Amino acid sequence: MMKLFYLHGFNSGSKPRAERIRLLQNKEFEVVCLDYDSSAIFPLLVEYFDRMLLEYKGNDIGFVGTSLGGFWANFLGDRYGCGWVSINPSLVPSASLKKYLGKALTNYVSGEKWVLGEDVPDSYSIAFQLNVDGLVILDKGDEVIDSVVTIEKLDGTGVEVISYEGGGHQFDHWKEAVEEISFHFNSRLIGVGGEFNG
C-alpha cells in the first residue's frame, strides 16, 4: 500500500480526522499527516523532514500538500524522487510569506500566538521545482494565492494543472480532487519509490 504524507499549510497543523484526510484514506493509500513548524527556517525544516522520512527511504511514498504544504510536497517529491500533488500551492515562499511579517498570528489548529520573523521568508532560497513530474490542483477563487498567476507560471513547464471554478484558499473541491489524486498516483507514480537525492 502506498503511503501518502499530507502537509498542511502555513500557520496551521495536522487534523487527522478532517474530511480531506478521510477522503484520501478511503482510497488505496495510507495517509500520514506530517506536521511541521511554520515559524522554522527552511534549512531546519529540510533537516527535520529528512529525519522524519528516513525510515521510508526506498518505499512507495508520495506527498500531498496545500498552500505552503503544497510547496513542501513539490520540494520533497523532487528531493526523494517520488510523486507529489500540490493544492493551491505557494510557488515562491520567500515572497508569499513576507506579507505576514510582523503580524500577530494565531495558529489555526493549536491556537498558539506568534510573530513571523524576517529570517523565515529570507531562508527560502528556492522556489517551486518545475522540472519534476507532479500535479497541481487549484481553486480559481483562491483569495490568498492568485490562481491566474500560478497557471501562467506553470504554463509550458510540463507540470500538470487542474483547476476548479470558484472555491477558495481552503480548497472546496476535495471530493472531486481525490479522484484526480488517486488517478495521478496510481497511473503514473506508484512503484517509483523514493530515493534520497541529498
Side-chain angles (χ1 to χ4, degrees), residues 136-172:
V136 170
I137 305 177
L138 306 171
D139 262 355
K140 289 184 177 179
D142 189 336
E143 70 284 1
V144 176
I145 298 173
D146 191 334
S147 64
V148 174
V149 173
T150 300
I151 291 169
E152 287 175 354
K153 286 187 176 180
L154 296 179
D155 185 45
T157 64
V159 175
E160 182 182 0
V161 179
I162 295 172
S163 59
Y164 295 96
E165 294 295 333
H169 191 63
Q170 292 298 312
F171 194 67
D172 296 345

Side-chain angles (χ1 to χ4, degrees), residues 62-133:
F63 298 97
V64 177
T66 57
S67 192
L68 183 60
F71 163 83
W72 281 110
N74 166 268
F75 174 84
L76 294 170
D78 181 46
R79 185 171 179 81
Y80 302 151
C82 61
W84 57 272
V85 174
S86 296
I87 298 169
N88 288 342
S90 168
L91 298 186
V92 187
S94 61
S96 62
L97 292 177
K98 284 187 177 176
K99 61 184 163 189
Y100 300 104
L101 284 176
K103 293 184 178 177
L105 301 169
T106 302
N107 186 284
Y108 300 122
V109 174
S110 70
E112 179 184 353
K113 298 184 182 303
W114 63 291
V115 176
L116 181 69
E118 288 185 14
D119 57 333
V120 176
D122 288 347
S123 72
Y124 281 81
S125 57
I126 68 167
F128 206 77
Q129 302 298 292
L130 302 177
N131 60 339
V132 291
D133 185 26

Side-chain angles (χ1 to χ4, degrees), residues 31-56:
V31 180
V32 177
C33 293
L34 191 55
D35 260 319
Y36 64 95
D37 183 359
S38 298
S39 69
I41 61 173
F42 177 80
L44 290 182
L45 285 176
V46 173
E47 291 177 12
Y48 164 75
F49 287 128
D50 280 350
R51 286 195 310 272
M52 293 293 290
L53 296 166
L54 182 61
E55 67 181 283
Y56 302 103

